[in-house]
Amino acid sequence: MSNENVDRRGFLKKSITASAGATLGLKSFEEQDLLAKMAEKSTGNKPGSSGNKLPFGKIKNLKISRIFCGGNLIGGWAHSRDLMYVSSLVKAYHTDKKVFETLEIAEDNGINTILTNPVSDRVINRYWNERGGKIQWISDCATGETIQEGIKRSVDGAAHAVYIQGGLADRAVKKGQVRQLGEALDYIQQFKVPGGIGAHELKTIKACVDAGFKPDFWMKTIHHHQYWSARHPEWHDNKYCYDPEETAAFMKNIKEPWIAFKVLAAGAIHPEQAFKYAFEQGADFICAGMYDFQVVEDVNVALDALNSGISREREWRA
């Protein structure tokens, strides 16, 4: 074995570059991001600022940037089709320190909100208390034995807004338990924080509207189906908005603010397509999962979309 010192990062960087060139002669978006991140670490550079600040909207008295951070990545819930290891991988990546760095970059670039699960209350409160962070937290209340238990933990953890997570709401509607969603919404609103209802399925939103519920905001998926895994005849963690055109048509008449999520179809659609599409379908805000090294680009893409002349039929509701 040679006595020559080998820099592990340099070796890995060269190996990745070589393997990419040997196979296809080009690098994927993921490889480009990884290489860029490694270059930043080797030179000690922090990701920069987008140079512009995002516009805001309001949900009740809560001022929220038009695009903000989703929390599945920091919580370790990665939608990855057949890849079983990805959730563990992203959870290992997102140490407390890495979460702090991500949130600091987000705030530096005008993002003022993150949406995540109540189990992230510990790291978010650490960020506030130890780093002086100001980022707002929207909680999905999806923890505990009951929805009310998740709501209470969220409020006790100082969430700025709380909503009934889409999976919980979808299941309740399928079981004929729409009334319980109304009771949960009332419970949120008694704490004097904005309360919302989420859904992956449009019939969930329709059932809640038919029941006369008046949330302060809605969380609804929206994305197009122009990516290869969307063509699979069976659902396999590959689609999150089943009827985008019908969703846009229905949401057009909804008076409350709409936060769109899963706009990237869990990484299958590039932000340059996804963000403009979501805004043009009528979304007032976009919640998007992003790694630390993606924040600046995502903010710039969102700014480009918003400044390029959004063609939308739905009025801005926030």
Side-chain angles (χ1 to χ4, degrees):
M1 184 174 178
S2 172
N3 291 326
E4 185 179 358
N5 287 332
V6 178
D7 180 272
R8 284 185 66 217
R9 186 176 292 117
F11 174 77
L12 179 58
K13 182 176 178 181
K14 289 176 183 176
S15 299
I16 292 173
T17 306
S19 65
T23 54
L24 294 177
L26 52 84
K27 291 183 279 294
S28 68
F29 288 122
E30 291 79 6
E31 288 169 327
Q32 292 176 46
D33 283 335
L34 176 59
L35 290 171
K37 186 65 176 175
M38 291 165 68
E40 285 165 8
K41 286 184 176 179
S42 65
T43 59
N45 293 336
K46 269 187 74 174
S49 169
S50 65
N52 293 300
K53 295 300 182 183
L54 285 165
F56 294 86
K58 291 184 79 172
I59 296 179
K60 296 193 76 174
N61 293 324
L62 200 62
K63 185 179 176 184
I64 299 172
S65 50
R66 289 287 179 199
I67 182 172
F68 59 86
C69 297
N72 273 3
L73 294 177
I74 73 168
W77 298 285
H79 293 279
S80 50
R81 283 66 176 180
D82 293 334
L83 300 178
M84 295 179 288
Y85 63 86
V86 179
S87 290
S88 298
L89 177 62
V90 299
K91 193 169 185 178
Y93 180 79
H94 283 103
T95 61
D96 283 10
K97 181 181 178 182
K98 179 56 64 179
V99 173
F100 297 163
E101 290 173 354
T102 303
L103 298 181
E104 286 173 343
I105 295 167
E107 291 199 67
D108 286 346
N109 285 276
I111 293 174
N112 76 338
T113 302
I114 182 171
L115 184 154
T116 189
N117 186 274
V119 300
S120 297
D121 54 1
R122 179 195 61 81
V123 69
I124 290 175
N125 275 270
R126 275 199 68 195
Y127 175 68
W128 290 335
N129 296 330
E130 297 177 21
R131 296 292 185 98
K134 303 298 183 185
I135 202 158
Q136 299 171 143
W137 171 34
I138 300 175
S139 176
D140 67 16
C141 82
T143 193
E145 296 296 322
T146 66
I147 295 177
Q148 281 76 6
E149 186 177 333
I151 293 167
K152 186 64 165 61
R153 176 168 175 175
S154 302
V155 173
D156 288 347
H160 295 80
V162 182
Y163 80 102
I164 303 164
Q165 190 246 20
L168 296 176
D170 290 339
R171 285 194 291 274
V173 169
K174 286 178 181 177
K175 293 179 180 179
Q177 299 172 342
V178 177
R179 181 176 58 84
Q180 294 183 12
L181 296 179
E183 293 171 352
L185 180 63
D186 290 342
Y187 187 58
I188 295 171
Q189 292 174 331
Q190 81 173 37
F191 291 106
K192 308 302 181 185
V193 297
I197 297 175
H200 303 85
E201 299 190 31
L202 182 56
K203 64 182 180 182
T204 301
I205 303 292
K206 290 181 174 180
C208 292
V209 170
D210 289 345
F213 300 158
K214 296 294 183 184
D216 299 307
F217 63 96
W218 299 92
M219 291 281 304
K220 176 66 182 74
T221 52
I222 188 79
H223 62 73
H224 64 66
H225 291 172
Q226 305 306 309
Y227 56 97
W228 71 268
S229 59
R231 298 194 295 270
H232 196 283
E234 299 177 3
W235 185 87
H236 195 74
D237 199 23
N238 59 323
K239 282 193 288 192
Y240 314 93
C241 180
Y242 311 105
D243 35 29
E245 293 82 10
E246 188 180 352
T247 293
F250 186 81
M251 296 302 290
K252 178 182 174 181
N253 298 313
I254 294 293
K255 306 297 185 185
E256 297 81 19
W258 169 21
I259 300 173
F261 70 112
K262 291 291 187 288
V263 301
L264 305 173
I269 305 171
H270 195 282
E272 287 181 354
Q273 297 179 36
F275 292 172
K276 186 168 186 178
Y277 179 85
F279 284 130
E280 291 194 334
Q281 300 314 300
D284 298 297
F285 304 93
I286 290 174
C287 171
M290 54 188 89
Y291 291 93
D292 54 333
F293 52 87
Q294 295 173 323
V295 173
V296 173
E297 180 186 7
D298 284 355
V299 169
N300 282 326
V301 169
L303 284 167
D304 287 345
L306 290 164
N307 293 332
S308 66
I310 296 294
S311 175
R312 54 188 278 150
E313 295 184 16
R314 184 174 185 262
E315 293 180 25
W316 292 95
R317 300 294 185 180

